[in-house]
């Protein structure tokens, strides 16, 4: 570890700073190999006491410091490797600081750095301190003016936040521009871009009639792929006005696509910076999943303009205040644009396979953590996705109308300030007239709560007993009960929901009958909750309980239900999530060798869904069917089944797919016939539905083939495809089907590489599909990682090999000789020297060792221990490794 053990930052230690920076004027003089940054800061004292001002700064060369026009001697301030402190200050001062930085050498991609031919910035969470000394904390909001001077020939586009207020030439012929952002903002929302870019331009007229110029910039060779993002941007702007009453506030909104970027995108005020992977899309370079991701991310970043920028976070412990809320908002947008049920199912899939795994690992943390070493490690599925589930629960508890009113109150009350999750809860509580004291435990307690549901049916009276618990997590022992909304219904033998308004319902817990008697909201607060339904028709059999509709709380449920009841729900429930969940439960029981299925075989139920899909005409129904026909993925099963053995579970999954393919070959053939690709590619619901169903059916059909027939079917599918989605579905099989010869596989891979070598994102997919193939042993993987097109410095490329390998190639990552863990350990160590954020991200699969057998646990821990012994470990990686081994 560099400079000894890093110190944990604690929420309990939060203090408002003694001074704030009211105005920030920045001057960037960009030259090859050296950029000089001059900042003029107007600082004023805002709390009593304190005459010192601590400015954060890392990797900076300090040229000079002036206070009120007087240059300070080096004995007049304190400076160490992380800060500069000015002492003996009065009420208000004008401070000037000059620093030099070298963006060309910045491989961590935080602060100002180079990507391809351009300069760009990434400041969230603490990157601004790598540009200049500053109060780099989100509760300091300042008005920024930014002047950029650079060679105008090489960098004709000089961009920053806000509005362009001046453009000229300097005496020596360089370009000089000035941008002014009228909205006070924290430094993490600062952005600068300098490049020779192409631009796609459009406009949007807001609800109050203001014209906003919309621009998407990219390197010239990518500009043809920006139309879809522009379309999404306009739809997002309109949707946010209609659904949340949020209007855009500047005259210009810019997006810049960059190739080297640590995450998906960044919501800098008026100047979003995007990873190309989340903005570029064309039929030949993006799959349906990419189009969906572009839609979600463009909307997400845009929505941050209110949930994040206009109302920001007081400190980084409040990160989920903006991230959870904004993920909720983008999920609602995607639901309104496509299929609500499918979006919900996809999100639950992520919660169960990834967030539940995080919650069960040594890296478990609450939605509002109480301490951290490196904040970059907290951009997690818990903060984002579980945070969004918490926001969804507010909406479920308050109802949509009151939830919307409460968000209005929150935005109005905190506009222009830095807020907390408590402020958000307060607005919800006031408008909903509901006590949320207990609900706030969702922010404080880590771990996935567990509900155990028991049914008792006697003489037409159905009683449900629900017991809640939550496992201990690191440094949190003995959890208190959560307040959670449970949506449920009862389904009669006919398959229709029973009208709950006609029943007598009793419970000590609060409940409300909703949806014209079709469903009920039960508020659980205690460890044990009972609810009784009587006046059911005594001649009828027990109704089937449809529990946790819409996945109304992020919990695990164990609920003894017969297999035939589950199959019945798959066919009949009105809630898409419950139908899908019932099928998943059947699959999980099937794969869990300690559970025996009685009366319903998931393969038969699965085939029923497939058969019914042949006659569907509505695109949303088809999309839903395509989703139902995805057999639970490996990581989902790892999380749902305890005490499994990796290889046996993977074998069982393959065997089930083979059996489903063989037993129902006629159904797959019919589906292939019905949904075979027709017409040109379009990223519409009907196009995606058709491709989704065709791909599922084709993959199962291909399992029934071998030899020439298999090669012929795959070549045809690959060569006749006119879009990447279809090509990818062929290539996905080609890279992993063991019956194919390696010549056949390599020829097609080579063809694909030759054809798309100029498209970085398509080549990422080429790496990705190979890295996730169980056919690739460590030699093959090493070869892949030393391919001339592999580049560890590019995060997308690094993830396409190493991230994909650790997350998706379970067979090889968990190889019993430890070679997979070792392969990852070595990559993480190399990456830590270049880009600590990506290194620590790639190390997290190793931290999940707890769920594997003792041999594998030992091997995984061994790799983590080796990493922990390295010198100069970054703070990022140190935190992951030390917490994992604690
Ligand atoms: N707010 C950024 C994430 C920044 C991550 C910094 N390590 C993207 C987003 O969530 O919209
Ligand atoms: Zn976000």
């Amino acid at each position: 570890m560099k400079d000894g053990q890093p110190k944990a930052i604690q929420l309990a230690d939060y203090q408002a700073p003694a001074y704030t920076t009211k105005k920030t004027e920045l001057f960037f003089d960009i030259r090859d190999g050296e950029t000089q940054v001059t900042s003029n800061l107007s600082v004023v004292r805002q709390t009593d006491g304190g005459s010192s001002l601590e400015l954060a700064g890392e990797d900076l060369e300090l040229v000079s410091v002036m206070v009120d026009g007087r240059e300070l001697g080096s004995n007049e301030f304190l400076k160490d490797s992380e800060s500069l402190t000015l002492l003996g200050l009065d009420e208000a001062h004008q401070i000037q600081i000059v620093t030099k930085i070298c963006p060309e050498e910045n491989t961590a991609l935080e602060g100002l750095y180079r990507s391809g031919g351009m300069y760009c910035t990434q400041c969230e969470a603490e990157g601004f301190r790598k540009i200049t000394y500053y109060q780099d904390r989100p509760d300091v909001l300042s008005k920024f003016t930014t002047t950029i001077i650079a060679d105008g020939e090489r960098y004709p586009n000089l961009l920053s936040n806000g509005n362009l207020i001046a453009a000229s030439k300097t005496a020596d012929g360089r370009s000089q521009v000035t941008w002014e952002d009228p909205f006070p903002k924290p430094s993490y929302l600062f952005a600068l871009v300098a490049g020779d870019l192409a631009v796609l331009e459009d406009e949007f007229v807001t609800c109050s009639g203001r014209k906003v110029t919309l621009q998407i910039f990219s390197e010239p060779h990518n500009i043809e792929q920006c139309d879809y993002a522009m379309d999404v941007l306009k739809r997002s702007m309109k949707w946010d006005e209609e659904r949340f009453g949020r209007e855009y506030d500047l005259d210009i909104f810019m997006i810049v696509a960059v190739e080297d970027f640590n995450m998906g995108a960044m919501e800098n005020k008026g100047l979003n910076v995007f990873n190309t992977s989340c903005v570029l899309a064309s039929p030949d370079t993006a799959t349906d999943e990419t189009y969906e991701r572009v839609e979600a991310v463009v909307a997400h970043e845009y929505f941050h303009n209110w949930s994040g920028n206009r109302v920001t976070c007081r400190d980084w412990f409040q990160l989920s205040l903006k991230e959870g809320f904004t993920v909720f908002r983008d999920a609602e947008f995607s639901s309104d644009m496509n299929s609500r049920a499918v979006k919900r199912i996809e999100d639950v899939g992520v919660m169960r396979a990834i967030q539940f795994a995080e919650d069960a690992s040594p890296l478990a943390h609450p939605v509002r953590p109480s301490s951290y070493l490196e904040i970059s490690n907290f951009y997690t599925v818990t903060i984002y996705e579980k945070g969004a589930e918490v926001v969804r629960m507010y909406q479920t508890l308050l109802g949509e109308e009151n939830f919307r009113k409460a968000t209005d109150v929150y935005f109005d009350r905190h506009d222009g300030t830095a807020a907390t999750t408590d402020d958000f809860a307060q607005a919800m509580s006031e408008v909903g007239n509901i006590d949320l004291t207990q609900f706030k435990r969702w922010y404080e307690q880590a771990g996935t709560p567990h509900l155990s549901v028991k049914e008792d049916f006697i003489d037409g009276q159905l009683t449900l007993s629900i017991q809640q618990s939550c496992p201990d997590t690191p440094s949190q022992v003995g959890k208190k009960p959560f307040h959670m909304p449970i949506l449920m219904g009862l389904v009669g033998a006919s398959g229709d929901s029973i009208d709950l308004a006609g029943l007598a319902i009793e419970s000590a817990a609060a409940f409300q009958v909703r949806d014209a008697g079709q469903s009920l909201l039960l508020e659980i607060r205690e460890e044990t909750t009972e609810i009784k339904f009587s006046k059911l028709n005594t001649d009828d059999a027990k109704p089937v309980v449809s529990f946790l509709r819409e996945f109304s709380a992020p919990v695990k449920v164990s609920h003894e239900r017969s297999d035939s009841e589950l199959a019945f729900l798959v066919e009949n429930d009105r809630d898409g999530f419950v139908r899908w969940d019932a099928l998943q439960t059947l699959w999980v029981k099937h794969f869990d060798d300690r559970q025996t299925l009685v009366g319903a075989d998931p393969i038969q139920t699965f085939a029923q869904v497939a058969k019914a899909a042949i006659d569907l005409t509505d695109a949303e129904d088809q999309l839903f069917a395509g989703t139902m026909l995805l057999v639970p993925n490996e990581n989902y099963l790892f999380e749902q089944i305890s005490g499994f053995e990796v290889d046996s579970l993977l074998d069982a999954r393959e065997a089930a797919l083979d059996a489903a393919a063989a037993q129902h070959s006629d159904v797959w053939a019919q589906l292939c016939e019905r949904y075979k690709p027709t017409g040109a590619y379009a990223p519409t619901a009907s196009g995606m539905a058709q491709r989704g169903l065709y791909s599922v059916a084709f993959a199962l059909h291909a399992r029934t083939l071998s030899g020439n027939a298999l090669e012929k079917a795959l070549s045809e599918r690959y060569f006749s495809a006119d879009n990447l989605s279809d090509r990818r579905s062929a290539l996905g099989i080609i890279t992993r089907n063991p019956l194919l010869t390696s010549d056949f596989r390599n020829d097609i891979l080579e063809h694909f590489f030759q054809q798309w070598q100029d498209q970085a994102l398509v080549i990422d997919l080429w790496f990705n599909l190979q890295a996730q193939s169980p056919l690739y042993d460590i030699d093959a993987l090493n070869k892949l990682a030393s391919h001339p097109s592999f580049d560890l410095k590019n995060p997308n490329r690094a993830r396409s090999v190493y991230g994909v390998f650790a997350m998706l190639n379970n067979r090889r990552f968990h190889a019993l000789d430890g070679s997979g863990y070792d392969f990852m350990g070595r990559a993480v160590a190399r990456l830590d020297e270049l880009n600590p954020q990506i290194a620590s991200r790639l190390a997290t699969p190793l931290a999940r060792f707890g769920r594997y057998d003792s041999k594998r646990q030992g091997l995984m821990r061994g790799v983590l221990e080796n990493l922990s012994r390295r010198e100069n470990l970054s703070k990022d990686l140190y935190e992951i490794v030390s917490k994992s081994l604690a």
Side-chain angles (χ1 to χ4, degrees):
M1 189 48 233
K2 265 189 230 156
D3 306 332
Q5 303 268 313
K7 203 172 134 261
I9 316 286
Q10 309 285 349
L11 169 59
D13 294 344
Y14 173 81
Q15 276 191 329
Y19 287 84
T20 190
T21 305
K22 285 272 181 214
K23 266 189 78 185
T24 303
E25 275 178 7
L26 299 169
F27 298 84
F28 287 81
D29 187 359
I30 299 177
R31 294 173 192 269
D32 282 343
E34 184 177 277
T35 292
Q36 178 159 301
V37 184
T38 303
S39 74
N40 289 333
L41 311 174
S42 312
V43 301
V44 291
R45 186 182 278 158
Q46 63 171 4
T47 59
D48 291 344
S51 57
S52 64
L53 170 65
E54 186 179 315
L55 303 172
E58 278 173 35
D59 305 335
L60 302 173
E61 181 188 333
L62 179 62
V63 178
S64 62
V65 192
M66 287 213 285
V67 175
D68 300 327
R70 184 180 75 82
E71 183 158 353
L72 302 187
S74 58
N75 56 345
E76 293 181 275
F77 53 83
L78 304 174
K79 185 166 97 67
D80 63 22
S81 62
E82 294 184 346
S83 64
L84 171 74
T85 306
L86 305 182
L87 307 163
L89 299 184
D90 295 326
E91 282 306 300
H93 294 282
Q94 202 55 38
I95 294 169
Q96 185 183 79
I97 298 176
V98 182
T99 52
K100 282 186 182 163
I101 49 179
C102 182
E104 287 77 1
E105 282 172 14
N106 180 348
T107 57
L109 314 186
E110 246 196 325
L112 179 66
Y113 66 93
R114 265 187 88 93
S115 171
M118 68 173 111
Y119 291 89
C120 61
T121 52
Q122 171 53 36
C123 294
E124 188 177 358
E126 298 182 333
F128 194 77
R129 63 189 61 190
K130 295 187 167 183
I131 294 175
T132 181
Y133 287 100
Y134 198 75
Q135 287 192 287
D136 190 15
R137 45 186 292 167
D139 57 354
V140 171
L141 278 71
S142 186
K143 277 198 185 173
F144 279 70
T145 307
T146 306
T147 298
I148 312 168
I149 305 170
D151 177 346
E153 295 270 304
R154 288 164 67 203
Y155 308 106
N157 306 97
L158 302 174
L159 314 174
S160 190
N161 317 84
N163 303 311
L164 182 67
I165 55 166
S168 59
K169 288 270 177 220
T170 59
D172 57 353
R174 290 155 55 77
S175 290
Q176 169 165 342
V177 300
T178 301
W179 292 81
E180 183 182 68
D181 183 355
F183 292 94
K185 64 169 178 289
S187 51
Y188 83 86
L189 291 172
F190 170 80
L192 176 155
V193 170
D196 185 359
L197 305 171
V199 60
L200 172 69
E201 189 161 318
D202 207 326
E203 70 173 32
F204 179 79
V205 180
T206 70
C207 50
S208 71
R210 279 189 315 100
K211 254 193 212 160
V212 181
T213 302
L214 309 178
Q215 293 179 321
I216 302 185
F217 294 87
S218 75
E219 294 191 69
H221 61 276
N222 286 329
I223 198 70
E224 304 299 324
Q225 298 181 44
C226 296
D227 296 319
Y228 186 70
M230 183 63 90
D231 172 58
V232 176
L233 176 60
K234 288 188 284 181
R235 282 191 274 134
S236 314
M237 295 178 88
K238 185 148 179 52
W239 184 91
D240 212 19
E241 290 180 346
E242 288 169 357
R243 174 71 190 272
F244 280 94
R246 300 294 114 202
E247 185 181 1
Y248 187 63
D249 49 11
L250 287 165
D251 299 333
I252 183 164
F253 185 85
M254 296 172 281
I255 287 178
V256 181
V258 309
E259 292 197 342
D260 303 285
F261 204 67
N262 282 349
M263 324 83 57
M266 178 63 212
E267 70 263 25
N268 316 301
K269 183 76 186 186
L271 177 56
N272 286 191
V273 176
F274 269 63
N275 188 323
T276 46
S277 71
C278 293
V279 61
L280 303 183
S282 74
D284 271 334
T285 58
T287 61
D288 286 335
E289 291 73 36
T290 310
Y291 275 93
E292 264 185 54
R293 182 153 167 76
V294 169
E295 179 171 77
V297 180
V298 169
H300 179 100
E301 304 311 329
Y302 173 71
F303 297 154
H304 267 314
N305 189 55
W306 275 95
S307 47
N309 301 3
R310 288 287 288 258
V311 182
T312 194
C313 301
R314 187 193 73 171
D315 53 71
W316 292 118
F317 297 102
Q318 319 295 329
L319 182 56
S320 196
L321 175 70
K322 74 177 179 81
E323 295 306 347
F325 187 21
T326 306
V327 171
F328 170 78
R329 278 152 54 68
D330 84 56
E332 284 297 289
F333 172 72
S334 295
S335 303
D336 284 348
M337 295 296 129
N338 306 295
S339 154
R340 182 160 287 271
V342 169
K343 174 66 180 153
R344 194 68 193 123
I345 289 166
E346 287 169 357
D347 289 348
V348 175
V350 171
M351 282 298 293
R352 285 188 175 159
I354 307 175
Q355 199 281 323
F356 285 8
E358 180 163 273
D359 249 349
S361 81
L363 301 176
H365 54 275
V367 170
R368 190 192 60 197
S370 56
S371 92
Y372 61 78
L373 294 183
E374 170 52 62
I375 187 59
S376 299
N377 285 329
F378 284 78
Y379 288 76
T380 60
V381 275
T382 299
I383 302 294
Y384 277 65
E385 274 71 23
K386 188 173 180 181
E389 294 298 325
V390 172
V391 175
R392 180 172 298 280
M393 288 192 285
Y394 283 121
Q395 179 178 260
T396 308
L397 286 168
L398 269 68
E400 260 183 54
E401 214 181 299
N402 271 343
F403 174 76
R404 165 59 208 275
K405 282 190 195 149
T407 61
D408 285 352
V409 167
Y410 165 76
F411 285 127
D412 290 349
R413 186 178 288 170
H414 300 288
D415 190 8
T417 70
T420 62
T421 55
D422 281 341
D423 294 328
F424 192 82
Q426 181 62 28
M428 295 288 144
S429 165
E430 278 173 33
V431 177
N433 194 18
I434 173 173
D435 181 355
L436 293 170
T437 322
Q438 183 186 357
F439 183 84
K440 289 202 278 186
R441 286 181 191 153
W442 284 105
Y443 288 105
E444 293 154 14
Q445 299 189 138
T448 308
H450 180 251
L451 298 184
S452 149
V453 183
K454 297 233 156 38
E455 298 180 18
D456 191 21
F457 183 63
I458 320 171
D459 298 336
Q461 176 167 295
L462 175 71
T463 306
L464 290 190
S465 314
I466 306 160
Q467 183 95 28
Q468 68 160 306
S469 60
C470 183
D472 292 342
T473 46
S475 76
Q476 288 193 333
V477 177
K479 304 286 165 75
K480 298 200 181 96
F482 289 89
H483 174 193
M484 58 177 90
I486 303 294
L487 287 172
M488 55 177 293
L490 300 179
V491 192
S494 65
D496 294 329
S497 288
I498 291 175
D499 179 8
L500 300 170
L503 305 183
I505 307 176
E506 279 171 63
S507 178
F511 65 87
Q512 289 163 37
V513 171
R514 288 186 170 181
D515 305 323
Q518 304 280 295
S519 66
L520 175 137
L521 169 70
L522 174 67
E523 286 185 44
I524 291 184
R525 289 172 184 266
E526 307 296 328
E527 250 165 53
T528 306
T529 308
E530 237 183 45
I531 183 162
K532 272 195 186 97
F533 300 89
S534 36
K535 296 211 183 141
L536 283 157
N537 190 338
T538 37
D539 298 338
D540 282 349
K542 179 182 82 64
V544 176
V545 179
S546 167
F547 194 76
L548 202 68
R549 280 183 176 159
E550 299 174 19
F551 192 66
S552 59
V555 297
K556 290 188 184 178
V557 179
S558 48
H559 184 179
E560 284 273 331
R561 278 168 304 180
S562 72
D563 301 332
S564 45
E565 277 191 344
L566 289 167
F568 177 84
L569 284 172
V570 171
E571 206 175 333
N572 295 298
D573 199 47
R574 68 201 296 271
D575 183 65
F577 161 72
V578 166
R579 292 180 62 193
W580 171 82
D581 186 43
L583 181 53
Q584 305 303 293
T585 308
L586 281 173
W587 278 122
V588 167
K589 286 175 84 172
H590 175 83
F591 294 127
D592 184 344
D593 53 17
R594 282 148 307 174
Q595 293 195 43
T596 334
L597 282 161
V598 187
D601 174 354
I603 296 179
Q604 300 313 321
T605 312
F606 183 70
Q608 275 314 113
V609 175
K611 248 182 238 160
I614 299 169
D615 299 321
L616 295 174
T617 48
D618 176 72
E620 225 178 298
D621 293 343
Q622 293 168 348
L623 272 173
F624 181 73
T627 306
M628 291 286 278
L629 293 175
L630 299 173
V631 174
N633 66 47
E634 296 169 3
N635 293 320
Y636 184 96
L637 295 176
F638 286 179
E639 191 40 45
Q640 296 283 311
I641 300 173
S642 56
F644 60 91
E645 196 283 319
V646 175
D647 291 311
S648 324
L649 184 51
L650 299 182
D651 290 345
R653 187 175 178 280
E654 287 303 309
L657 283 162
D658 285 341
Q663 288 168 25
H664 301 280
S665 54
D666 54 328
V667 180
W668 314 122
Q670 274 173 283
L671 275 174
C672 284
E673 190 50 38
R674 163 80 170 80
Y675 291 104
K676 71 169 171 276
T678 48
Y681 176 93
T684 54
S686 60
M688 290 187 186
Q690 174 170 341
R691 283 184 294 277
L693 278 165
Y694 186 83
S695 286
V696 167
F698 181 81
L700 285 156
H701 169 65
R703 282 181 183 263
T704 64
L705 306 175
S706 60
N708 283 345
L710 175 63
E711 289 192 356
K712 184 163 171 282
L714 289 168
S715 303
E716 255 175 41
R717 176 133 173 80
Y718 173 79
F719 287 107
S720 68
D722 74 341
N723 63 77
L724 187 65
S725 277
D726 286 334
R727 238 169 250 138
R728 185 231 177 278
S729 102
L731 213 55
I733 300 171
I734 292 166
T735 45
R736 53 194 306 143
N737 189 319
L739 301 179
L740 294 165
T741 63
S742 46
D743 282 352
F744 177 82
R745 182 175 308 112
N746 293 338
D747 286 353
I748 295 208
L749 279 168
E750 183 57 22
H751 175 272
F752 187 89
F753 185 84
Q754 291 302 334
Q755 190 160 5
W756 303 108
Q757 56 186 319
D758 297 334
Q759 295 289 343
L761 299 171
V762 183
I763 296 304
D764 287 340
L765 181 64
W766 183 84
F767 279 103
N768 171 323
L769 292 175
Q770 296 179 78
Q772 63 170 289
S773 168
L775 301 180
Y776 280 59
D777 61 15
I778 291 298
D779 284 347
L781 288 160
N782 275 323
K783 217 168 129 200
L784 203 57
S786 41
H787 189 280
S789 295
F790 184 75
D791 177 7
L792 198 60
K793 285 192 186 144
N794 174 263
N796 290 354
R797 204 45 62 86
R799 278 188 284 256
S800 74
V801 171
Y802 294 110
V804 165
F805 173 74
M807 289 298 291
L808 299 178
N809 197 343
N810 286 305
R811 190 76 79 168
R812 296 288 180 180
F813 178 53
H814 295 290
L816 265 175
D817 60 3
S819 55
Y821 305 141
D822 187 54
F823 178 69
M824 279 309 290
R826 281 183 286 119
V828 168
R830 278 201 309 281
L831 254 169
D832 197 40
E833 288 165 14
L834 298 168
N835 187 332
Q837 275 184 28
I838 302 292
S840 75
R841 198 46 72 110
L842 292 184
T844 56
L846 289 163
R848 308 267 186 274
F849 54 79
R851 64 184 181 187
Y852 302 99
D853 50 82
S854 56
K855 170 106 202 273
R856 289 183 169 94
Q857 287 200 21
L859 293 165
M860 292 169 97
R861 289 184 70 104
V863 171
L864 289 166
E865 273 155 14
N866 281 342
L867 285 172
S868 76
R869 283 193 285 268
R870 286 178 65 85
E871 274 174 28
N872 291 334
L873 210 59
S874 67
K875 207 201 277 186
D876 309 58
L877 188 56
Y878 172 80
E879 178 167 37
I880 299 297
V881 170
S882 60
K883 287 188 173 168
S884 302
L885 293 170

